[in-house]
Every structure is written in structure tokens, then in C-alpha cells.
Amino acid sequence: MDKKKPKKVLVQGAIPPEKIAQSIANHQSKTNIGAHSIFLGQIRADQVDSKTVRAIDYSAYEEMAEKVFHEIREAAFSKFDITCAHIYHSLGRVKTGEICLFVFTSSAHRKIAIEACNYFVEEIKAKAPIFGKEIFEDETHQWKVNK
Amino acid sequence: MDKKKPKKVLVQGAIPPEKIAQSIANHQSKTNIGAHSIFLGQIRADQVDSKTVRAIDYSAYEEMAEKVFHEIREAAFSKFDITCAHIYHSLGRVKTGEICLFVFTSSAHRKIAIEACNYFVEEIKAKAPIFGKEIFEDETHQWKVNK
Amino acid sequence: MKVSVKYFGIIAEAAGRDEEVLEVAWEISVNELKEQQVQKYKIPDAEAVQLAVNQNLNKEVELKEGDEVAFLPPFAGG
Amino acid sequence: MKVSVKYFGIIAEAAGRDEEVLEVAWEISVNELKEQQVQKYKIPDAEAVQLAVNQNLNKEVELKEGDEVAFLPPFAGG
């Protein structure tokens, strides 16, 4: 059912730890699950030319991004024997130390959950049209590029 | 500092989702972290000869297990450029759907956090003297063996 | 014909706008449209810019009246 | 000499106890002690049983007075 009704991936602002706890708790009734793999992206206070990143302001081509997320889900469910998968990515300003990406995969067996989680992370980085403006302490900025 | 004062890994009973949220929240002040990788083991309601697992009762050679966990930590910190690592494993009865293992690694970069998390999971399965009694609905049991 | 154009990130910043409707020549290619706008707005790092037509990155497509063309800078999600 | 012995999991179940102090012959090897107890308590799946001496799995060590010897069934953590 997870597979058929994907929720929106893009959410406003940082992803709170309580949301992650709630997602985990929601899976305790699914007793065919033996392993969960979770990836969290957190905003780093990178130094660039003696200035320090304070936040990243995320924007996205939202309709296309949701379409891409849906395609990644479909591909993941056909590649991996996972029970469920959830992904959330922030839009708007996320401060250093806060969570901007939450990927959560579950399976009967650990290796499948872990591989699927990695697949999601790499695919999202490579294919989702999301853009990040790194904001420095003095409110100047530079545009982030995934390496 | 994480590295020098390891807490006890073995905890009584299931690991509540709120503890996981608390661990994540505790890392929001560490702004050199860019990625967290989390693995959770959850008790499956496996079928064995028409009986269904209801819980696993974990026991351990506790002093040796804590020593083994400490050695795994030391090895992980020397192999991987991780910022911190936390592991918790249940003792006593953990019901199906509940969490019995929580591995949490953090790094500046995603690949390091993910590889270190996998390393912990595999090492714990292979080396920690922990024993699991699978309890069926009728309170009969069988002893679990890692594959 | 008219196409609807969207700009994102550093490109929106250079163009001074998020979207606009452009009157373009029939049979203009995706690459020609890209070149035209890169020149017009002095879009930096043009080699790294990708165009999506109706949310697809496939560059071989021919533009049609009413298409939505998005100018995408390098992705930074995750 | 005396050694302190601990049993875990299915082995403790077979032995009917978690620990005991055994009086053993000097120069008894780890494997001899294992064989002796496997016979005594009919410990199942003996090939899968590992012994830890003072919390180390290294089997080459010689037993000494006061050693702690643990009988460990297959691990099931995780």
C-alpha cells in the first residue's frame, strides 16, 4: 500500500527527530519486518573562504521532483524486496545541525534494507531537481553543488 | 569524547523509538556532521512449523559482550573517519515489532557513515556473545542462530 | 509559438525572475533556446545547465506550443 | 585446580545451571574440558559450541587456577 499511495516527499523546513521516531513507531505493527535502514542528511557548518555556513535554503522544481521521487520508488520496489520505503526532503531554510533528508527502508532482511536505502540516497542526489543556497553568517550566499 | 567513554551497549528490554529520536537530537549541535546512518533490528513474527514467534528473550555473556563491543568501536574508529558511533542491544524479552538493535554512526560524509554502520552490524552479529530464545505463542521456544 | 519557461537556483538569480512566457520561433531546438537565454541573462556555468521539457531531461525532443521548459542548475539535494 | 565455568543459552538449559566451580586436573586443555562437559550434560550441537577463557575465544591458551571458562552456543545478536 505504501507503494501505491506515495505521500509528498518535499516538506517545509527541517525534519524533526520526532518525525523520525513516529515513522519508526508506525512500523512496529509490521511484524514481517526484520531490519530498518535509515539515512539522514544533516546541514554542515562548512567553512568557505573564512565564512561559515549557517543554513541551506532549499528550492526545487517541485512537480518534477515529486515525479522523480515516484520513479525512484518504483525502481527501488522492483529492484529490492523491501516492505516499505519513506523519503522526505526539506524545502526552505534548514539551519546547520538540522536534518534535510530522511530515507527509511524496511525489509525482512538487513542486507536488502541497507542496499535499498543506499540506492535511494544515491538516486536522490543524482536525479532530484533540488537546489541549495548556502547562507553564510553575514547573509551572503553561494549555490551548493553535489559532488 | 564518544570514543573515550563508551556507555553500556546492553540495555534491558526493547529500544523505544523515542530513544532513537533523542540520540538524533543530541547530534544537532555537532555541526561538522553531514550524514547519519542508522540500522535497526526489529523482531520478526517468523513461522516455524505452524507456530509463530511472539518475542525473543535475549541473554548475553555480558562482561565479554561489552568488551567485544568496545573492541568493535575501537576498530571502527581506526578504520572509518566517523565523528561518533552509538550502539545499543536489548537484553531480556523483546516482542515482535519491537527494536532489539540500534546502530547509529555519523560522519562529515555519507559514504563513511554508511560503511561504518554496516561494519558495526556485521561485527556485532559475528562476534558478540548474545543468545536469543524465540518464544512462540504457546510459550514453547527454540534457540535462534544467526545465519 | 509560446513556451512557458521556468528558472531555478542560480539561474533564476541571474535572470532576475522565476518564470516567463517566451515567444519563440517554430522549430527552435532545446539547445538553441538554452543558448539564447544563456546569452540574454548571462547565465553562469552554462555547461552545467540542464533543460527539462515538460519535466523530462531528454534533450532530443522538439519544442511545441505550450511546452514547459525548465532551466536547471546542478542538483544539490540530499 | 578450580576453574569457574559459565553456561549460556541452550547450553545452560541442557546443563540445568548457569555456572559452577569445577575441580579439574592440572594441564587439562580447553578442548578436554569441553568434551568432558559435553558428555556430562549431553550438550547438543557440540561442534557449534565455543569456549571463552577469561572472555577470549583463543583456544590455544592453557587453563590456570581461577580461570573463567564460558560455554557459548551460536551467537544470535542483532
Side-chain angles (χ1 to χ4, degrees):
Chain A
M1 55 217 147
D2 268 329
K3 193 178 168 184
K4 280 156 203 161
K5 292 190 290 179
K7 282 167 291 189
K8 279 197 132 190
V9 169
L10 296 167
V11 294
Q12 277 301 321
I15 295 155
E18 297 73 33
K19 187 189 182 81
I20 298 160
Q22 190 57 54
S23 283
I24 296 166
N26 288 346
H27 288 73
Q28 303 211 316
S29 58
K30 301 193 179 179
T31 57
N32 55 335
I33 294 174
H36 304 289
S37 184
I38 294 174
F39 179 84
L40 303 173
Q42 181 168 304
I43 308 295
R44 267 200 322 265
D46 279 348
Q47 299 272 339
V48 181
D49 302 336
S50 83
K51 292 199 277 191
T52 305
V53 171
R54 274 282 170 265
I56 295 183
D57 192 348
Y58 284 106
S59 55
Y61 184 10
E62 295 188 37
E63 303 85 343
M64 178 175 163
E66 295 290 354
K67 187 174 79 96
V68 167
F69 290 130
H70 182 74
E71 289 163 358
I72 296 172
R73 280 181 71 84
E74 294 290 310
F77 273 94
S78 74
K79 269 181 208 291
F80 304 102
D81 187 17
I82 45 178
T83 316
C84 23
H86 303 274
I87 48 180
Y88 296 99
H89 196 295
S90 297
L91 283 183
R93 194 177 273 224
V94 185
K95 288 185 289 201
T96 52
E98 292 183 328
I99 308 290
C100 59
L101 172 62
F102 171 30
V103 177
F104 183 21
T105 55
S106 309
S107 172
H109 302 289
R110 72 183 182 284
K111 285 185 184 168
I112 296 166
I114 291 169
E115 277 175 31
C117 189
N118 293 349
Y119 176 82
F120 272 105
V121 174
E122 296 303 324
E123 289 286 287
I124 291 166
K125 293 220 171 230
K127 296 185 178 167
I130 297 175
F131 317 104
K133 192 159 77 166
E134 295 179 315
I135 315 283
F136 299 110
E137 305 146 294
D138 59 1
E139 291 290 317
T140 59
H141 69 263
Q142 75 171 15
W143 290 90
K144 180 174 177 269
V145 175
N146 276 353
K147 271 168 278 185
Chain B
M1 55 216 145
D2 267 331
K3 192 178 167 183
K4 280 157 201 158
K5 292 191 290 179
K7 282 167 290 187
K8 278 196 134 193
V9 169
L10 296 168
V11 294
Q12 278 300 322
I15 295 155
E18 297 73 34
K19 185 187 183 84
I20 298 159
Q22 190 56 55
S23 282
I24 296 166
N26 289 346
H27 288 74
Q28 304 210 317
S29 58
K30 301 192 179 179
T31 56
N32 55 335
I33 293 173
H36 304 288
S37 183
I38 293 174
F39 179 84
L40 303 173
Q42 181 168 304
I43 308 295
R44 265 199 324 264
D46 279 348
Q47 298 271 341
V48 181
D49 301 336
S50 83
K51 291 199 278 193
T52 305
V53 172
R54 274 282 169 264
I56 296 183
D57 193 348
Y58 284 107
S59 54
Y61 184 10
E62 295 189 37
E63 303 86 340
M64 179 176 164
E66 294 289 355
K67 187 174 78 98
V68 166
F69 289 131
H70 182 73
E71 289 163 358
I72 295 171
R73 280 181 72 84
E74 294 290 310
F77 273 95
S78 74
K79 269 181 208 290
F80 303 103
D81 188 16
I82 45 178
T83 316
C84 24
H86 301 274
I87 47 179
Y88 295 98
H89 196 295
S90 296
L91 283 182
R93 195 178 272 226
V94 185
K95 289 184 290 206
T96 51
E98 292 184 326
I99 307 291
C100 60
L101 172 62
F102 171 30
V103 177
F104 183 21
T105 55
S106 309
S107 171
H109 302 289
R110 71 183 182 284
K111 286 186 181 168
I112 296 166
I114 290 168
E115 279 175 30
C117 189
N118 294 349
Y119 176 82
F120 271 105
V121 174
E122 296 303 324
E123 288 286 287
I124 290 167
K125 293 219 171 232
K127 296 186 178 166
I130 296 175
F131 316 103
K133 191 159 76 168
E134 295 178 316
I135 316 283
F136 298 109
E137 306 148 291
D138 60 0
E139 289 292 315
T140 59
H141 70 263
Q142 75 170 18
W143 290 89
K144 180 173 177 270
V145 175
N146 277 353
K147 270 169 276 186
Chain C
M1 65 178 183
K2 286 188 165 68
V3 294
S4 168
V5 180
K6 288 171 174 278
Y7 306 105
F8 291 92
I10 197 171
I11 303 173
E13 206 170 68
R17 70 201 68 203
D18 293 333
E19 52 189 349
E20 63 186 325
V21 173
L22 290 182
E23 183 66 45
V24 296
W26 286 96
E27 297 180 357
I28 190 172
S29 75
V30 174
N31 262 330
E32 284 163 351
L33 179 61
K34 175 178 164 180
E35 275 316 303
Q36 176 190 306
Q37 299 305 95
V38 162
Q39 302 263 326
K40 179 168 170 194
Y41 293 129
K42 303 186 173 44
I43 295 171
D45 198 15
E47 320 81 71
V49 172
Q50 296 186 86
L51 267 63
V53 179
N54 301 324
Q55 303 176 19
N56 285 302
L57 289 177
N58 185 345
K59 289 161 221 150
E60 302 304 311
V61 72
E62 248 184 40
L63 288 181
K64 303 181 308 296
E65 170 85 27
D67 276 350
E68 179 175 291
V69 183
F71 282 65
L72 307 174
F75 300 165
Chain D
M1 66 178 183
K2 288 189 165 66
V3 294
S4 167
V5 180
K6 287 169 176 279
Y7 305 106
F8 292 93
I10 197 172
I11 304 173
E13 206 170 68
R17 69 202 67 203
D18 292 336
E19 53 190 348
E20 65 186 324
V21 174
L22 289 182
E23 183 66 44
V24 295
W26 287 95
E27 295 179 358
I28 191 172
S29 76
V30 174
N31 262 329
E32 285 163 351
L33 178 61
K34 175 178 165 180
E35 275 316 302
Q36 176 191 304
Q37 299 307 93
V38 163
Q39 302 264 326
K40 180 169 168 191
Y41 293 129
K42 304 187 171 41
I43 295 171
D45 199 14
E47 320 80 72
V49 172
Q50 295 187 86
L51 267 61
V53 179
N54 299 323
Q55 302 176 20
N56 284 302
L57 288 177
N58 184 344
K59 287 160 222 153
E60 301 304 311
V61 73
E62 249 184 38
L63 289 180
K64 304 181 309 297
E65 170 84 27
D67 275 351
E68 180 175 291
V69 184
F71 283 66
L72 307 175
F75 301 165

